[in-house]
Amino acid sequence: SLDPARLHDEIGATWLRQLFVGLVEVDEKGIIVPNVARRWEIHDSGQTYVFHLREDARWSDGHPLTADDFVLAWQRVLGPQVHDILAETLYDISGARGYHLGQLSENQLGLQARDDHTLIVELEQSASYFLYSLAAEFAYPVPRHKVVEFGDGWAEPDRIVTNGPYVISSWSPGQAAKLIRNPYYHGAYGGNISQVEVFVTDSALGWEEA
């Protein structure tokens, strides 16, 4: 699946890393640095995080990326129908375990989009690794406007919009795909690769750069 909330294996994660980016990322020195979040504040002895999102962040269809896209994404990861192992990755968020088990409502989760560019996250308790967990694929945002329109089918190759360095240009199920640069990507490209061709074989995925 190309849906971050439906991540199952490393092959899927490889795809997602080409198509999406999260609030933060880990640089070559292993240090957390800003991505969609331009800065953040930590309050209440590490239990409250306030992320300030970039105002130029866009989805590949030009639609603004907002804090509410992260709220929806994490609600979907924590949904009762999601596999326990994936949902547990966000259990540090206040109310997350109860929500996943169907004991709490989404309004009881420690997630709040104060406005389009401010995301507030409340934790059950201080977790020094929390920012590192947000660099992982399951913490990527999803486009609320597409999920509202298509439901879980929003991530089909002919419908998906992304916020990372590449978008899907063409897709032949079980055979090959072509990725091209996302013109709305806010970050710097790591090199001069403008196109990636992906071929599916019986044993693995082969990535060829053009």
Side-chain angles (χ1 to χ4, degrees):
S1 174
L2 300 177
D3 185 339
R6 303 295 182 264
L7 177 63
H8 295 296
D9 52 40
E10 181 56 31
I11 292 177
T14 299
W15 278 95
L16 293 180
R17 286 192 291 269
Q18 312 304 315
L19 301 173
F20 296 90
V21 290
L23 289 170
V24 299
E25 62 183 345
V26 180
D27 71 7
E28 65 276 6
K29 297 180 181 179
I31 298 172
I32 287 289
V33 295
N35 199 311
V36 176
R38 56 185 174 84
R39 64 183 179 88
W40 53 87
E41 304 151 12
I42 304 175
H43 304 282
D44 304 327
S45 300
Q47 284 191 252
T48 302
Y49 286 73
V50 180
F51 295 94
H52 301 276
L53 276 59
R54 301 173 61 114
E55 296 185 1
D56 61 345
R58 293 281 188 277
W59 292 102
S60 56
D61 61 356
H63 197 282
L65 192 158
T66 70
D68 203 35
D69 293 326
F70 283 96
V71 172
L72 176 61
W74 299 354
Q75 287 173 345
R76 294 177 76 247
V77 171
L78 290 167
Q81 76 283 1
V82 177
H83 195 283
D84 290 350
I85 293 177
L86 184 60
E88 287 170 3
T89 58
L90 291 176
Y91 269 14
D92 289 303
I93 296 172
S94 178
R97 181 189 295 269
Y99 178 69
H100 178 61
L101 296 177
Q103 301 167 351
L104 299 176
S105 71
E106 62 183 36
N107 294 328
Q108 294 173 285
L109 277 172
L111 296 173
Q112 178 189 353
R114 189 168 66 190
D115 55 48
D116 283 352
H117 302 108
T118 309
L119 174 66
I120 302 174
V121 184
E122 303 280 349
L123 303 186
E124 292 282 359
Q125 60 186 11
S126 177
S128 60
Y129 54 81
F130 182 64
L131 284 174
Y132 282 88
S133 69
L134 298 187
E137 295 80 17
F138 58 79
Y140 291 157
V142 299
R144 178 177 284 275
H145 64 293
K146 288 295 184 180
V147 176
V148 168
E149 183 177 4
F150 296 112
D152 285 345
W154 76 271
E156 294 297 322
D158 59 341
R159 297 173 177 170
I160 192 170
V161 296
T162 65
N163 75 316
Y166 293 98
V167 297
I168 294 176
S169 173
S170 64
W171 180 281
S172 299
Q175 299 179 38
K178 182 182 293 184
L179 310 181
I180 60 174
R181 285 193 175 193
N182 176 5
Y184 289 99
Y185 179 51
H186 60 266
Y189 289 96
N192 61 355
I193 298 173
S194 61
Q195 177 176 298
V196 178
E197 296 185 20
V198 186
F199 299 95
V200 181
T201 68
D202 290 338
S203 57
L205 280 178
W207 292 81
E208 292 193 6
E209 301 165 350

